[in-house]
Amino acid sequence: MTRRSAAALAALGLFALGALPGCGIRATTVPVDVGAAPSRVSCKTPAATPAGTSGVQGIRATVELVCGAQLVGVERLVPVPEKRPSRDTMVLVGQALLEALQREPSAEEREAGFSTEVPAGLLAVAPRAGDPAGTVRLSRKPEDLPPVALSQIVCTFSSSDAVSAGPGPVVLGGPDSDPPRAWECSDAVRSRPEAVPTLGDVVLPKPS
């Protein structure tokens, strides 16, 4: 047998082995969906600072932060300035809560996976004449905010007795004359905060 014939027979044998089923793993250029990567964030909320030990005067509030693509409440001591004649308590507390949402989470919170999407510079402003009771107006239209940020605001406000008038929707408006709308914080919003605009916000009628 010539050297060329032996080489040809060896190549043929390798081809036959490669054609047998179950022999090795075939390479493919088609991406394989193996599911989502496991989350590495703990979303474990840090221990709350005992009241009266931080030297900060304010209110205890549950601030909704983003963790693992969901909303998770973190207890905070939120500083609230003294009431001024030109601003009512609801606006002052609303502004304090917005600032708490805008603040960068602590190093411990970031390590646990917490973040916030509420934009800096967003303000709580006084309601307009004829607005329904409990209305908080913002310096930007709620519909123009990032959906996750809006969910954070709605769920944070809904748990505050000073802003929300009991269980039920949170009434928010923008800086213009458009009527305010009702936004609800539900389990669906907490688990999918990007979907809050699709939850059936209702235009509230102005009182006669």
Side-chain angles (χ1 to χ4, degrees), residues 95 98 102 117-126 128 135-150 153-154 157 171-181 183:
Q95 179 61 37
L98 286 177
Q102 293 162 354
E117 295 195 16
V118 178
L122 184 66
L123 303 174
V125 297
R128 289 174 168 266
T135 298
V136 177
R137 286 193 175 266
L138 305 176
S139 57
R140 288 176 58 182
K141 294 180 66 172
E143 298 89 340
D144 293 341
L145 293 171
V148 174
L150 179 56
I153 295 169
V154 169
F157 281 13
V171 185
L172 298 177
D176 53 22
S177 59
D178 289 346
R181 293 185 172 186
W183 306 87

Side-chain angles (χ1 to χ4, degrees), residues 36-76:
S39 174
R40 296 182 182 275
V41 296
S42 68
C43 295
K44 183 178 180 180
T45 56
T49 303
T53 62
S54 64
V56 177
Q57 299 298 319
I59 60 171
R60 284 287 180 191
T62 300
V63 176
E64 299 290 339
L65 300 179
V66 184
C67 192
Q70 299 183 358
L71 296 187
V72 179
V74 176
E75 188 177 352
R76 290 263 178 86

Side-chain angles (χ1 to χ4, degrees), residues 106-128:
S106 67
E108 186 179 3
E109 290 168 343
R110 292 196 302 273
E111 185 177 353
F114 289 93
S115 63
T116 183
E117 295 195 16
V118 178
L122 184 66
L123 303 174
V125 297
R128 289 174 168 266

